[in-house]
Amino acid sequence: MTPLRAPLARYAERLHRAAGDTHHVASPLGAWLLLALTGPTATGDARAALADALGADPDDAAAEARALLAAPHPMVAAATALWERTPAAELAAWRAALPEDTERGALPDQAALDAWARERTGGLIERFPVDVAPETLLLLASALATRVSWADPFDTAPATELGAGSAWSGRLSQVLRTPSFGHRCWVSATGRAGDVVVHAVPAGTGDDGAGMLVVSVAAAPEVPAADVLAAAQELASAAAFAPDAVPGHRSLFDLPLGETPLWALREEPTRTYAADGREERATAVLPCWSAQSRHDLTAPGFGFDAAARALGELLGLTGPEFDAAQSAVARFGRYGFEAAAVTAFGRATALPPEGVARIAELRFGHPYAVVAVTTDPAGGPWHALPVYSAWVADPEELPADEAG
């Protein structure tokens, strides 16, 4: 099991809980990495607060962060930078322990910081998330960016397929439908969100097998966003660890026939090789979406206040002022997925026997969670890490050039 899975899930819950049930996207990993890099500077109460935020010993977290950044995943462009107004001798040991590829230099102006954000995210993020001020002593930043294409693009469907009870079905004209192969769809039982519908689509798999798995999870409309996101984190990591598995799988034969906000389930005669003569099939319909968010990370639960105190103590400063924020963007469409985040701290022939099939169309017709995890069959440090996650509450129309 990836050592970072539990700490990242915990940090993700804090970040998404603060964002609430508004339409948003974030990279808990991006924020966690940045916080981890400051960990070794801390002592006393600041170290205890950092350990709580990181969910790990600060030195261990820093080592994990350095390992990830030393060998970036092929599907995630990663960069870090440290800029200082005047390099302080008191920070020499911390500075030397940062990842070798961390960019270093004099504190740039705002235009240069914005340019850095654009360059490191392939233009996905236009503006650096914090402002440089005359009193800014240093800025530590991380950037993560992903652009991947589905191996098997979606088909399209009328938005009415989202179900008569979906407010989105009347607002949109076309949505996405899973193709006949290449995507996984199932119903899962979860502890936090009850029965949920799950769609998982792989993307960008390279010659070494490394890629990304984007997992969408919808629960009953009344389930709180925080619980759906937490369930999505668990299901995404589990699905990445076992590419052919369906974590928490519920048989369609255990579910009632008919329509619910999550599925339309019917039964029809078929011919099947299934040993018990019962076959299950599932497809999914879900909307295109994009999101752009900025997250203020200055609240105590995110740990950057403790990081600021730790650096301040090294510099002989009391109650140092600081800023910490993340800008994140993502787009999920017919042909692929792209996302980026900049975090700154400044701080699947003869007739078989007859049987029966249950056929479900899973509906993502109300707000739901999405988690994108990296995959690496070799079991490297990036395997099954949730890199981006989102709460989809404001879907978009299928672009005209993707319709048909």
Side-chain angles (χ1 to χ4, degrees):
M1 193 67 70
T2 303
L4 289 183
R5 181 181 176 185
L8 276 176
R10 186 168 176 266
Y11 197 86
E13 181 151 6
R14 290 190 179 189
L15 184 51
H16 286 292
R17 190 177 291 277
D21 60 1
T22 60
H23 184 71
H24 70 272
V25 64
S27 175
L29 175 62
W32 190 95
L33 284 173
L34 201 62
L35 189 64
L37 293 179
T38 66
T41 63
T43 58
D45 290 343
R47 186 176 182 87
L50 274 170
D52 178 68
L54 290 165
D57 175 81
D59 289 333
D60 292 342
E64 294 282 358
R66 286 193 296 267
L68 288 175
L69 293 165
H73 191 274
M75 302 301 134
V76 183
T80 54
L82 170 66
W83 300 286
E84 301 174 87
R85 194 172 296 281
T86 301
E90 295 88 344
L91 301 181
W94 169 67
R95 190 184 301 116
L98 291 173
E100 184 178 347
D101 289 339
T102 297
E103 301 172 46
R104 295 169 169 84
L107 195 66
D109 60 16
Q110 196 68 47
L113 291 172
D114 293 346
W116 186 86
R118 286 192 298 270
E119 291 167 4
R120 297 302 177 275
T121 65
L124 290 174
I125 292 180
E126 289 285 334
R127 180 169 171 76
F128 198 75
V130 304
D131 295 330
V132 61
E135 62 270 23
T136 304
L137 296 175
L138 62 84
L139 284 173
L140 184 64
S142 70
L144 302 175
T146 297
R147 269 196 176 99
V148 291
S149 298
W150 310 132
D152 301 295
F154 285 91
D155 295 328
T156 62
T160 52
E161 296 299 314
L162 291 173
S166 169
W168 299 346
S169 67
R171 172 179 158 187
L172 306 172
S173 60
Q174 283 195 298
V175 293
L176 307 175
R177 187 195 298 281
T178 50
S180 57
F181 52 85
H183 297 217
R184 284 186 281 162
C185 304
W186 72 95
V187 177
S188 177
T190 71
R192 288 285 295 268
D195 285 348
V196 299
V197 293
V198 187
H199 167 258
V201 53
T205 304
D207 293 339
D208 59 357
M212 180 165 280
L213 187 69
V214 182
V215 181
S216 300
V217 176
E222 67 273 13
V223 179
D227 291 332
V228 186
L229 281 156
Q233 293 274 347
E234 293 180 9
L235 289 166
S237 290
F241 270 106
D244 297 321
V246 282
H249 176 257
R250 286 208 64 187
S251 171
L252 298 181
F253 286 92
D254 292 335
L255 302 174
L257 296 172
E259 296 204 11
T260 75
L262 291 177
W263 60 71
L265 181 59
R266 69 183 192 274
E267 190 171 281
E268 64 184 37
T270 191
R271 293 184 179 275
T272 177
Y273 287 112
D276 59 359
R278 304 198 306 175
E279 181 177 303
E280 299 186 30
R281 308 172 199 158
T283 58
V285 285
L286 61 169
C288 296
W289 63 270
S290 67
Q292 181 173 332
S293 305
R294 183 183 185 277
H295 304 281
D296 183 351
L297 301 177
T298 58
F302 298 123
F304 287 96
D305 59 328
R309 290 201 307 273
L311 289 172
E313 289 170 3
L314 286 177
L315 294 168
L317 303 173
T318 57
E321 295 295 327
F322 75 100
D323 197 1
Q326 180 183 94
S327 292
V329 299
R331 179 181 181 274
F332 183 105
R334 183 176 183 183
Y335 297 106
F337 174 78
E338 61 184 22
V342 173
T343 311
F345 164 51
R347 357 188 134 95
T349 77
L351 291 176
E354 294 185 355
V356 64
R358 282 208 174 181
I359 303 167
E361 183 167 86
L362 312 183
R363 293 171 168 174
F364 292 77
H366 55 263
Y368 61 94
V370 177
V371 176
V373 294
T374 46
T375 57
D376 181 0
W382 284 85
H383 187 48
L385 282 186
V387 183
Y388 310 103
S389 41
W391 182 248
V392 179
D394 187 15
E396 296 182 348
E397 183 59 71
L398 180 73
D401 60 357
E402 294 184 8

